[in-house]
Amino acid sequence: MSTLISNVTAVLMDQGRTVLRDAYVAVEGQKILSVGQARPEGRFDETIDGKGGILLPGFVNAHSHIPMTAMRGYGDGHDLQDWLADFIFPVEDRWDPRAVRACTALGLCEMIASGITCTADMYMFCDGIAQEVAASGMNAHIDRGCTLFADEFDWESYPSCVETRELVERWHGYNGGQIRVDACIHGEYTSKPALWEALARYAKEKGLNMHVHISETKKEHQDCLGRWGKTPIQVLDQYGVWDVRAIAAHCVWTTPEDWAIMARKGVTAVHNPMSNLKLGSGVAPITAMRAHGVNIAIGTDGVSSNNCTDFFGDLKLAAILQNGVNCDPLALTAWDALEMATVNGAKALGRDAGRIAPGCDADLILLDPEAPNLIPCHDPVNNIVYAAHGSNVVMNMCRGRVIYRNGAFLTIDLERVKREVREHALPLLFG
């Protein structure tokens, strides 16, 4: 399948910060073939007239919990620990595979419609999540979050570790890399060294990424210091957790000493500004981390603690929050924030995406030029970061395949999904 996208303002996300007006972007198979202002020669299976809209790389949501769509607004108004213990964990005990699949499909619709082309998802019942992702056409890293509270541990028989290995065997590399599987430690405070060491070793043997919650709350961070005399980043480093490509979600209470380890080991901090503010966890010191050489990406976290996955909301908040905290309007520019949402997210996950350039994955989104909130357009990047929202997305292309166009989902039966959620998932979970 070859596609030519014409008549667009293309934000290339290259080092030169190129914004190419009246651009043509040619796609061959799953890859971008060419980018330029002259129409490429040859015939194409499909031609898409962008009608003067903004074309940009799709967003990389570097930390999510897709099935938690079911818990939108449930338990609001509590701090993280009470919210988890009194509301979220009891509901999660009621999941069945059918409900997980229904809520995953609903969550994928929300992400796709807001311009997300790849997500790194941490949860359980991962086989069902993978099935829905595969059908949707979206890219994903699907990670079985592993916990360990007991003193006894056997890598060969421990359930979440067995599930991780089965997930890797069944799904890692599916469809040329559409789905990848990472090793995943839920967090220092929900696990023990035996698990850290075993998963770190397995990730290294299999060439997998690592995904961990890190220093989300002050209590989590200080309790770890009390247990080990070290921060979560530091104690996990002792067990080889950061010896592979890794993403650390939240990092609100990390320290300069942590940042030095992260920069040296190539650990990406995933900023979840909406969730962290809503739960009162704090504000991650993003500008300071960037100054120390840490790669920063953006995540929505779960709908349960964000209430939506309109990625534009997290993007705008990420951009303006640091300016307010630092009392500096240039602390984080619109371009800096957009890099976090695209290029940096792709780098964090080891994907050849996040840019519009020949040879990159054709993960592209198109914004409606006639949307009132995008008129006038003095600066396309400023409009993307400060003015746009999910309803402005008129096309989502993943790996060269259009999966969403003009409000219609081309790979997911939304009406069927809504019925499943209403008639099975919600009664099961909430009675």
Side-chain angles (χ1 to χ4, degrees):
M1 181 74 178
S2 61
T3 304
L4 179 65
I5 305 171
S6 64
N7 189 20
V8 293
T9 295
V11 180
L12 305 190
M13 298 312 300
D14 60 353
Q15 291 186 344
R17 301 192 168 188
T18 305
V19 176
L20 200 63
R21 299 183 185 274
D22 301 316
Y24 292 87
V25 177
V27 173
E28 181 73 37
Q30 299 178 355
K31 298 288 185 178
I32 296 170
L33 182 65
S34 67
V35 183
Q37 290 176 303
R39 190 189 193 284
E41 296 181 358
R43 300 180 61 182
F44 294 86
D45 297 317
E46 182 181 11
T47 300
I48 298 173
D49 181 358
K51 300 179 181 179
I54 300 172
L55 186 76
L56 68 151
F59 296 133
V60 178
N61 183 0
H63 179 65
S64 67
H65 309 288
I66 305 175
M68 296 182 83
T69 304
M71 299 159 209
R72 191 190 313 272
Y74 183 67
D76 279 358
H78 296 83
D79 66 28
L80 178 65
Q81 301 304 325
D82 291 341
W83 172 75
L84 286 172
D86 298 337
F87 294 91
I88 300 304
F89 291 158
V91 169
E92 288 183 324
D93 284 342
R94 304 185 189 117
W95 277 122
D96 71 3
R98 179 181 169 188
V100 166
R101 289 193 60 170
C103 295
T104 295
L106 183 65
L108 288 170
C109 286
E110 190 176 354
M111 288 190 187
I112 290 166
S114 76
I116 294 169
T117 54
C118 182
T119 193
D121 197 69
M122 177 195 294
Y123 211 60
M124 50 194 168
F125 290 92
C126 291
D127 193 70
I129 297 172
Q131 291 176 54
E132 294 299 327
V133 169
S136 76
M138 202 176 91
N139 303 295
H141 288 242
I142 300 175
D143 311 336
R144 175 51 163 105
C146 295
T147 61
L148 176 63
F149 298 99
D151 291 329
E152 295 183 0
F153 171 77
D154 180 0
W155 164 253
E156 294 299 329
S157 61
Y158 193 68
S160 61
C161 295
V162 172
E163 291 172 30
T164 295
R165 296 196 300 273
E166 291 176 347
L167 195 67
V168 169
E169 292 169 6
R170 189 175 297 123
W171 289 105
H172 187 54
Y174 171 84
N175 192 25
Q178 176 195 350
I179 294 176
R180 299 181 189 176
V181 178
D182 304 332
C184 183
I185 298 166
H186 178 271
E188 176 277 332
Y189 69 105
T190 55
S191 55
K192 296 188 177 183
L195 178 68
W196 309 339
E197 194 169 41
L199 279 172
R201 183 175 61 250
Y202 181 69
K204 199 166 187 177
E205 289 173 358
K206 295 293 185 178
L208 307 178
N209 297 352
M210 181 68 74
H211 188 172
V212 191
H213 288 119
I214 288 291
S215 298
E216 182 175 0
T217 66
K218 187 175 183 179
K219 182 180 187 304
E220 172 198 336
H221 189 82
Q222 291 183 331
D223 285 353
C224 182
L225 284 169
R227 278 188 292 272
W228 308 104
K230 297 178 182 293
T231 68
I233 283 284
Q234 293 161 16
V235 72
L236 292 176
D237 187 45
Q238 279 188 279
Y239 291 88
V241 170
W242 311 127
D243 291 347
V244 296
R245 180 184 287 109
I247 54 176
H250 303 294
C251 297
V252 176
W253 294 92
T254 50
T255 67
E257 293 76 17
D258 294 336
W259 308 336
I261 293 171
M262 295 170 74
R264 186 173 71 251
K265 294 291 184 77
V267 179
T268 293
V270 183
H271 187 29
N272 297 263
M274 198 78 72
S275 174
N276 293 156
L277 285 180
K278 182 169 180 282
L279 291 173
S281 300
V283 178
I286 295 305
T287 52
M289 297 176 80
R290 291 178 78 237
H292 279 73
V294 179
N295 185 51
I296 311 292
I298 297 176
T300 62
D301 207 1
V303 165
S304 51
S305 59
N306 184 326
N307 293 56
C308 75
T309 53
D310 185 337
F311 200 86
F312 288 92
D314 291 88
L315 174 59
K316 180 175 182 177
L317 185 57
I320 64 176
L321 186 58
Q322 298 300 312
N323 297 353
V325 168
N326 292 282
C327 298
D328 178 2
L330 300 179
L332 198 72
T333 68
W335 190 276
D336 295 334
L338 193 55
E339 283 184 332
M340 289 159 54
T342 56
V343 179
N344 293 6
K347 177 182 177 182
L349 300 179
R351 287 188 174 265
D352 195 5
R355 297 177 297 125
I356 303 180
C360 286
D361 291 344
D363 295 343
L364 304 167
I365 60 174
L366 180 66
L367 305 187
D368 179 8
E370 296 301 316
N373 61 304
L374 298 182
I375 300 172
C377 186
H378 299 297
D379 183 303
V381 173
N382 285 342
N383 263 19
I384 292 167
V385 175
Y386 300 132
H389 42 71
S391 63
N392 300 140
V393 175
V394 293
M395 184 197 75
N396 185 320
M397 171 186 281
C398 288
R399 301 166 64 82
R401 178 189 183 191
V402 176
I403 63 173
Y404 177 82
R405 179 180 282 157
N406 297 325
F409 297 94
L410 306 183
T411 58
I412 301 174
D413 183 345
L414 180 57
E415 292 306 313
R416 181 194 64 80
V417 169
K418 288 191 290 188
R419 284 196 304 273
E420 276 287 281
V421 170
R422 289 170 179 156
E423 296 175 10
H424 177 72
L426 295 183
L428 175 73
L429 297 174
F430 302 102

